[in-house]
Amino acid sequence: MTKYIPNRFQQQNGGHLNAAYLNDLNDDSESTTDREFSNYIPSSSVVLPEFLKNLATNRQQKNSRNNNLELTSNVSPETDANMNVITDVIPHEDFYRRDNTIHKKSRRPDIEELHLPYNLGKKSIDGDNNEDSNVKSTKLGWIDGVYIRTMMNLFGVMLFLRMGWMAGQAGVILALVQILVATTITVVTTTSMIAMCTNGNIGGGGIYSMVSRTVGHEAGGVIGFMFTFTNAAFVGLNVLGTAESVSDILNAFNTGICQVPSETNDQRIIGYICLIIIAAIPIISLEFESKTMMFFFLTLVVSLIDYFVGSFIPPTELQQSQGLAYWHKYVIVPNLFPRWDGSDFFGVFGVFFPSVTGIFTGASMSADLKEPASAIIKGTFMAIATTSTTYSIIVIFLGFTIVAYSDGNAASIIFNNQTCEAANNCPFGLINNFQTMALTGAISQTGIKIEPLIYAGIFAATLSSALGCYTAAPRIFQAFCDDHLVPVITWFGKGYGPSRDPRHGYIITFIIAAIFVAIGDVNTAGVWISNFYLGAFFIVNISLFHVSMVNPISFRPGFRFYNKWISLIIGLFCVALMFLFDYISAAVVSGLIIIIYLLMFFVDPSKANWGSSTEACCFDCARSLTFRLNKQEDHIKSYRPIVLLLSGNPKNRQVLVDMANRITKGHGMLFLSHVTEGPLSYKTRERVIDSQRVWIKSERINAFYKLIESEFLSDGIRNQMHSTGVGKFTPNIVMLGYKSDWRSAKDDDLRDYYDVIHNVLEAHYSLVMFRVKEGLDFSDHFVATFNNSLTVNRMENNGEIYSISSTMDSNTNETTTTKTPMSHMECHRLANRFKYKQSPGFIDVWWLYDDGGLSLLIPYILINDKLWQKCRLRVFTVAEGNQELNVIKNNLSELLKKFRIPFADVYALSYDDVELSIETKRKFDSILENRIMDDITPIIKTSPKELFSFKEQTTKTMKLRELMVKYSTSSTLITLTLPIPRKYKCSATLYMSWLEVLTYDMPPLLLIRGNQKSVLTFYC
């Protein structure tokens, strides 16, 4: 049996109970309350938009899979005793996992299962596990996954090719200082990274995931781009190092590829060949790539052993002629101090710095690690310790055994250590020969031209770094793409195989690496890459500082050995180093960081809902500012329109919502009030609220949707007026649509509507009514169009149709109940009329009574909106009696100028100059037809006695109608000061008759009444 729905709710929902709203809630497995609520749905009268159809489909599929518990309203105690009742469960890790991270075998019971009398049916919570359990991705430990990868990345091109040059230029002491400074930067940055890494399960994406989930998508977007680019560029730098060594080998045999001696062009060709080889290895498999890295590691160890053994063997005459002097005082003492030959401290430091930047290589493989948090800590710190120690030892060994300059004559080696005295500019020695480590190798004692183990070490160091970065860069970019922050790059996030190998990301990495190979110079490329890494280090350290300062309760890192102030200092120091290295590349990097960060602000926040410190900071700022505002007394200049709109289902009343949005946009706040009869279950409320939020977001309306249950509309609004908002953000205006069907409405509905007006005025709120002659609810036209087999899918896909209903409130003829014929496109245009620019014309302000200035302020707000920017204000006032109209006009003009309100013209009119037309009298009489009764104390309908008491007011209202017809029928918009009904004296029928005669067949009209408190001032 279908329950009767009181008509008092029909006005707010567009003259009907919201059928589309009810259809959203129709769920087979819901509670008894929901099933009763769904009985009100008219059959075959609802057309849902696509996203609501999908919502309903997903719910049905979910329910069919899970066989959720069914509510029974008559469960006996005996039945309860024999049932398998759901009870509370002890804490378990699986309850806190994300739904998409594991296939859950158990779940935490919800409130309804514990609170309501459910009958336990057969539950299937395991779901369908279609995944092949035999297919598992390869997971790496901390040694092969982090330590070796990070160490091999840190042992890059500079280890064999630039450490001697560094010792010769800066001297051993300053070179060790540079290594210490670089190590300090990397250690502090690593602690910042690990602090974020241990604040939860990071999953894939490495440093990008850490920063974006901890700080926010703005900083995460910068990191995602910076580390993708720098890792890809570092591939090119290391490949160039390999090519440079191959070029030296060719020159040793007096040959070349396209030029003799082999120089830059040969190095580019060799570099591209090596790049192709590096690109092929990860495509084979991650396991093969890991084994390749292990092979490179062993080769590097053998090469270093060969070097250290050779440094303790007395040099041959050939070695001496090229600068290897063994451990002598004349070598050690001069090499302790710098000799800047074409470079300076920061120039040398900038070339060396890429050697310590690979600290995030292991973190970038987080998705492929067995235990990412512990593996990253152990592997990264041990890699930094190993490489920094090795670099320091090699600098000492090179600086203490090889002279700075050598001309190829063993006899003059002692004379060329400080400066070059030879005419051939000394092509050998630390300064000019980049292959000094190859000169010292043990096998070099045999006189062989090419030291095979040292060059094998060079290839292992450079190619391993290139390979490590080549696998890290696309994984960072893949994680960035998977978040869909920038839809156009989503294709690059596609993965292949169980480990989601980012093959599309390899394309980007290859292109960037190829560009840096084309540079052809290790020193130039090194400085640019250093600055990109420094920019990334700055973001990481500042990110930790930010989250530590905000200190959200969700930030509980397992790694506690960090200090936010040290991270801040190091972050700022990184920026200073960038400009000291090279101001041009520093400016480019800084500009890119700023641009990317600003672009990330345009990303839809719902795509990056990660509970970051940026969101926590926004909450803290909003809370602090709310408290601060609440401590201050209200001031006229601080007035903002905060509107509580009686929208009903906002999807059905687009025109009303759009007008309210224009009033508050950029100036105030908007609350959408939807009063409906309850009770509603929690799940029903949540689905409705979520659906409305989706619609509000799709319409780009800044508003808060408020759903309230009440038996009477007036009671619901009264409760909502006093409970909505917080502090200074509480409504000061109540706005509602004009009840155009009040003459045909039931007495209870009209009384409810009239009570809303009185309740608003009694609460000292301002009141705004809005009327358009075409009506506020067009959903029934869309239903009719759909039933006539005309498609509306195109408009639904454009986000233009969201509310579909079965009846209407104001698109009816005044004397019949037939609907006004209207085409589908015309209906759509009218429903969205306040989304588009209005035609040039006037906004007429009929400022009849001084209500504090709200009747003038709202038109001023609207005329500054882009929709009405081609319109101008005309201000009207109507005087009574023998007042001087010119004086009134001049006074009003001066007042407007003091308020700094621009206006086109001011009109001062008089009721005495108006002759009532027969047409207006007949219209008023027709409005009151069948609404007059002989009751002495009328409440809803009027009486002859009341008509006689308010005869003067009625006459003035009809004369005002005559004036409005004369001046404003062609205006774009009209605002009119709303008359206040005298409570217990003026009936609802008489009051609505006054409003009806003023507003029918007029342009869009706002009836505005302030609360008699000033909202305008001419004081500074």
Side-chain angles (χ1 to χ4, degrees):
M1 180 177 178
T2 304
K3 290 186 177 181
Y4 168 70
I5 300 299
N7 287 335
R8 56 180 169 269
F9 296 100
Q10 294 180 5
Q11 180 276 331
Q12 194 200 34
N13 290 313
H16 57 275
L17 191 66
N18 192 344
Y21 160 67
L22 293 175
N23 196 70
D24 291 344
L25 313 178
N26 191 12
D27 195 330
D28 294 339
S29 61
E30 283 301 322
S31 65
T32 303
T33 302
D34 292 342
R35 290 196 295 270
E36 290 178 359
F37 192 72
S38 65
N39 288 335
Y40 308 140
I41 306 175
S43 60
S44 304
S45 64
V46 178
V47 181
L48 291 178
E50 289 299 323
F51 76 93
L52 290 180
K53 293 177 182 177
N54 295 336
L55 175 64
T57 303
N58 293 337
R59 291 286 303 178
Q60 292 172 2
Q61 291 176 350
K62 181 178 179 181
N63 292 332
S64 64
R65 287 197 306 268
N66 295 340
N67 294 325
N68 280 338
L69 302 176
E70 180 179 359
L71 173 64
T72 59
S73 59
N74 54 354
V75 178
S76 64
E78 291 78 16
T79 305
D80 281 338
N82 298 325
M83 286 168 48
N84 183 13
V85 179
I86 293 180
T87 60
D88 279 326
V89 294
I90 62 174
H92 194 278
E93 178 184 346
D94 286 351
F95 301 155
Y96 297 90
R97 291 184 180 273
R98 295 174 183 168
D99 293 339
N100 60 346
T101 57
I102 63 168
H103 187 75
K104 290 190 176 182
K105 298 296 182 184
S106 59
R107 65 177 179 85
R108 181 194 299 116
D110 59 29
I111 289 290
E112 291 185 353
E113 290 173 334
L114 296 173
H115 178 241
L116 298 179
Y118 276 94
N119 180 19
L120 182 67
K122 183 179 179 181
K123 297 172 64 65
S124 175
I125 59 177
D126 292 344
D128 298 327
N129 191 354
N130 296 324
E131 296 181 4
D132 188 356
S133 59
N134 296 324
V135 179
K136 297 182 178 179
S137 60
T138 304
K139 295 294 183 180
L140 307 175
W142 73 270
I143 295 178
D144 56 344
V146 180
Y147 175 67
I148 292 178
R149 290 175 181 276
T150 305
M151 183 176 63
M152 294 302 291
N153 203 348
L154 292 171
F155 281 148
V157 63
M158 305 302 172
L159 176 63
F160 288 96
L161 299 182
R162 291 298 183 273
M163 297 308 297
W165 174 80
M166 179 181 176
Q169 289 276 1
V172 173
I173 295 176
L174 284 183
L176 292 176
V177 171
Q178 290 177 335
I179 294 174
L180 178 62
V181 172
T183 303
T184 302
I185 293 174
T186 56
V187 168
V188 174
T189 305
T190 301
T191 60
S192 300
M193 173 197 71
I194 292 176
M196 292 184 285
C197 168
T198 56
N199 190 45
N201 186 0
I202 62 173
I207 188 62
Y208 163 73
S209 294
M210 299 176 200
V211 174
S212 60
R213 269 56 176 177
T214 304
V215 182
H217 66 279
E218 299 90 354
V222 176
I223 282 292
F225 171 81
M226 296 291 289
F227 268 99
T228 299
F229 185 86
T230 50
N231 276 279
F234 202 46
V235 174
L237 177 67
N238 282 282
V239 166
L240 270 180
T242 304
E244 185 178 289
S245 298
V246 174
S247 180
D248 289 337
I249 294 174
L250 293 177
N251 286 331
F253 293 98
N254 296 319
T255 186
I257 298 178
C258 63
Q259 58 185 157
V260 180
S262 179
E263 292 180 350
T264 303
N265 288 332
D266 279 6
Q267 292 175 16
R268 292 190 178 110
I269 294 173
I270 298 167
Y272 286 127
I273 294 173
C274 294
L275 180 59
I276 294 173
I277 295 173
I278 291 296
I281 294 175
I283 296 178
I284 298 174
S285 72
L286 184 63
E287 185 177 0
F288 177 75
E289 184 265 348
S290 181
K291 292 179 179 178
T292 304
M293 291 291 288
M294 184 63 71
F295 169 75
F296 284 151
F297 170 70
L298 296 175
T299 303
L300 179 62
V301 170
V302 172
S303 177
L304 289 175
I305 292 174
D306 177 66
Y307 167 74
F308 286 119
V309 171
S311 63
F312 289 104
I313 299 176
T316 64
E317 183 177 353
L318 177 62
Q319 288 176 314
Q320 289 180 355
S321 67
Q322 295 183 3
L324 180 59
Y326 205 54
W327 302 82
H328 292 293
K329 183 178 180 180
Y330 71 85
V331 179
I332 296 175
V333 175
N335 283 348
L336 289 175
F337 307 101
R339 57 176 70 78
W340 307 116
D341 186 357
S343 188
D344 56 19
F345 180 88
F346 293 104
V348 174
F349 195 20
V351 172
F352 166 74
F353 193 78
S355 302
V356 297
T357 55
I359 56 176
F360 300 127
T361 304
S364 301
M365 304 293 294
S366 57
D368 302 301
L369 299 176
K370 295 177 183 178
E371 298 179 359
S374 60
I376 291 173
I377 295 175
K378 292 185 289 186
T380 305
F381 275 127
M382 289 193 66
I384 293 174
T386 302
T387 54
S388 295
T389 302
T390 304
Y391 279 132
S392 300
I393 294 173
I394 290 177
V395 164
I396 294 173
F397 272 57
L398 288 171
F400 287 2
T401 58
I402 301 177
V403 296
Y405 300 98
S406 178
D407 58 358
N409 184 1
S412 62
I413 187 173
I414 192 172
F415 304 107
N416 291 328
N417 192 32
Q418 188 63 36
T419 59
C420 181
E421 303 293 341
N424 63 355
N425 295 324
C426 301
F428 303 104
L430 294 174
I431 301 294
N432 295 322
N433 183 15
F434 295 147
Q435 300 292 341
T436 50
M437 287 191 67
L439 177 66
T440 313
I443 298 180
S444 296
Q445 301 288 336
T446 61
I448 190 172
K449 286 187 176 183
I450 299 299
E451 220 286 11
L453 292 182
I454 296 296
Y455 275 96
I458 294 174
F459 297 150
T462 54
L463 293 179
S464 65
S465 290
L467 182 58
C469 290
Y470 197 86
T471 56
R475 280 169 170 77
I476 297 174
F477 195 61
Q478 183 184 45
F480 183 59
C481 296
D482 285 344
D483 287 333
H484 303 287
L485 301 180
V486 184
V488 295
I489 62 173
T490 304
W491 181 79
F492 293 101
K494 185 177 181 180
Y496 293 85
S499 60
R500 297 193 70 240
D501 195 32
R503 296 177 185 175
H504 294 172
Y506 290 144
I507 299 173
I508 294 291
T509 306
F510 187 92
I511 293 173
I512 296 174
I515 293 173
F516 274 80
V517 170
I519 294 176
D521 181 66
V522 172
N523 289 3
T524 302
V527 172
W528 276 82
I529 293 174
S530 293
N531 277 347
F532 272 99
Y533 271 114
L534 283 170
F537 285 4
F538 164 76
I539 296 296
V540 172
N541 285 292
I542 292 299
S543 296
L544 179 71
F545 174 76
H546 181 271
V547 70
S548 299
M549 285 296 293
V550 176
N551 195 25
I553 57 178
S554 61
F555 186 63
R556 303 182 296 274
F559 182 80
R560 307 295 297 178
F561 302 99
Y562 68 91
N563 184 282
K564 60 185 176 184
W565 297 108
I566 294 178
S567 295
L568 174 63
I569 293 172
I570 293 299
L572 298 177
F573 183 61
C574 289
V575 176
L577 278 182
M578 286 168 53
F579 286 91
L580 291 172
F581 285 171
D582 178 46
Y583 68 90
I584 296 178
S585 59
V588 172
V589 172
S590 300
L592 285 175
I593 291 175
I594 294 172
I595 291 172
I596 297 171
Y597 191 87
L598 293 177
L599 288 176
M600 288 294 105
F601 275 108
F602 294 96
V603 172
D604 185 357
S606 63
K607 295 182 179 180
N609 185 19
W610 300 320
S612 64
S613 64
T614 301
E615 298 172 25
C617 184
C618 290
F619 178 86
D620 290 343
C621 291
R623 182 191 60 183
S624 300
L625 292 174
T626 300
F627 285 134
R628 179 179 176 180
L629 286 172
N630 200 43
K631 294 177 183 178
Q632 304 216 352
E633 295 291 334
D634 291 331
H635 192 278
I636 298 174
K637 292 194 293 185
S638 301
Y639 179 84
R640 297 291 185 273
I642 303 178
V643 175
L644 177 63
L645 176 66
L646 279 62
S647 62
N649 184 348
K651 302 176 186 178
N652 290 346
R653 310 187 82 188
Q654 181 80 60
V655 179
L656 182 62
V657 174
D658 285 341
M659 176 54 75
N661 184 49
R662 291 297 168 182
I663 294 174
T664 58
K665 188 175 182 181
H667 298 283
M669 298 179 69
L670 177 60
F671 296 93
L672 305 180
S673 171
H674 186 175
V675 180
T676 187
E677 188 176 26
L680 303 179
S681 70
Y682 171 79
K683 291 182 179 179
T684 298
R685 288 182 58 86
E686 288 300 300
R687 288 204 307 276
V688 172
I689 292 173
D690 289 343
S691 172
Q692 299 292 3
R693 284 175 179 169
V694 170
W695 178 81
I696 289 171
K697 176 184 171 183
S698 67
E699 294 294 316
R700 298 181 180 179
I701 296 171
N702 294 324
F704 300 95
Y705 174 74
K706 308 288 288 185
L707 178 62
I708 189 170
E709 302 163 37
S710 177
E711 185 179 357
F712 295 96
L713 174 63
S714 56
D715 291 342
I717 295 302
R718 182 193 297 111
N719 295 333
Q720 204 160 41
M721 281 192 299
H722 298 297
S723 62
T724 300
V726 59
K728 289 292 192 296
F729 301 103
T730 53
N732 48 34
I733 299 174
V734 174
M735 183 174 176
L736 65 159
Y738 178 76
K739 186 174 178 61
S740 57
D741 64 341
W742 65 271
R743 284 176 290 169
S744 59
K746 295 182 179 296
D747 288 350
D748 287 346
D749 297 334
L750 181 56
R751 177 189 291 111
D752 209 16
Y753 183 82
Y754 196 44
D755 286 345
V756 170
I757 297 174
H758 283 301
N759 291 341
V760 172
L761 296 174
E762 286 178 351
H764 286 223
Y765 280 73
S766 300
L767 179 62
V768 176
M769 287 187 193
F770 185 49
R771 182 176 189 179
V772 290
K773 61 183 178 182
E774 295 86 3
L776 299 175
D777 189 341
F778 297 89
S779 57
D780 209 41
H781 283 286
F782 294 131
V783 173
T785 302
F786 183 84
N787 291 337
N788 287 332
S789 302
L790 298 177
T791 179
V792 295
N793 289 334
R794 180 182 64 82
M795 302 183 72
E796 287 182 353
N797 293 334
N798 290 336
E800 295 169 346
I801 301 177
Y802 296 95
S803 177
I804 310 297
S805 308
S806 60
T807 59
M808 304 181 61
D809 68 330
S810 55
N811 279 23
T812 57
N813 187 277
E814 295 179 5
T815 57
T816 67
T817 57
T818 59
K819 298 168 185 175
T820 306
M822 193 179 298
S823 69
H824 177 78
M825 295 307 297
E826 176 68 11
C827 180
H828 173 262
R829 183 188 66 81
L830 292 173
N832 294 274
R833 65 192 302 173
F834 295 116
K835 284 186 171 64
Y836 313 114
K837 288 187 178 181
Q838 304 297 295
S839 58
F842 295 103
I843 295 181
D844 285 349
V845 181
W846 290 83
W847 196 7
L848 306 178
Y849 317 107
D850 195 330
D851 60 348
L854 188 65
S855 296
L856 185 63
L857 180 62
I858 289 180
Y860 172 75
I861 293 173
L862 294 177
I863 207 168
N864 283 282
D865 189 276
K866 63 180 181 180
L867 266 65
W868 289 275
Q869 63 183 2
K870 294 184 179 180
C871 298
R872 294 183 297 166
L873 284 185
R874 292 194 305 182
V875 182
F876 296 82
T877 189
V878 184
E880 301 181 34
N882 298 320
Q883 301 181 57
E884 290 289 338
L885 298 183
N886 289 333
V887 174
I888 295 175
K889 178 178 179 180
N890 293 335
N891 290 340
L892 184 56
S893 298
E894 289 299 320
L895 183 60
L896 293 174
K897 291 177 182 178
K898 286 185 177 182
F899 285 148
R900 303 168 305 283
I901 303 290
F903 59 91
D905 206 348
V906 173
Y907 294 84
L909 308 175
S910 175
Y911 290 113
D912 295 339
D913 298 333
V914 180
E915 290 291 336
L916 281 178
S917 65
I918 298 176
E919 208 176 292
T920 302
K921 292 179 181 179
R922 287 177 178 173
K923 176 61 180 178
F924 186 77
D925 291 339
S926 67
I927 293 172
L928 290 178
E929 187 176 357
N930 299 324
R931 304 294 295 183
I932 301 175
M933 59 184 294
D934 293 330
D935 195 337
I936 299 176
T937 56
I939 299 175
I940 301 301
K941 295 183 178 181
T942 187
S943 67
K945 181 179 178 180
E946 183 188 32
L947 290 175
F948 180 79
S949 299
F950 288 96
K951 181 179 180 180
E952 183 179 354
Q953 178 64 37
T954 302
T955 303
K956 287 171 56 178
T957 301
M958 289 189 287
K959 288 184 176 181
L960 180 60
R961 165 71 184 189
E962 299 285 357
L963 292 173
M964 292 176 64
V965 170
K966 179 179 179 181
Y967 289 98
S968 299
T969 50
S970 61
S971 298
T972 304
L973 179 69
I974 302 173
T975 66
L976 173 67
T977 306
L978 178 71
I980 294 180
R982 186 73 64 177
K983 193 172 185 181
Y984 305 127
K985 296 293 183 181
C986 181
S987 66
T989 294
L990 182 58
Y991 183 69
M992 294 303 295
S993 299
W994 293 341
L995 300 186
E996 181 71 23
V997 78
L998 287 173
T999 59
Y1000 80 94
D1001 281 344
M1002 296 296 288
L1005 196 148
L1006 283 167
L1007 294 159
I1008 304 171
R1009 187 71 194 210
N1011 63 353
Q1012 303 304 112
K1013 292 183 180 179
S1014 297
V1015 297
L1016 294 172
T1017 181
F1018 43 75
Y1019 293 106
C1020 180

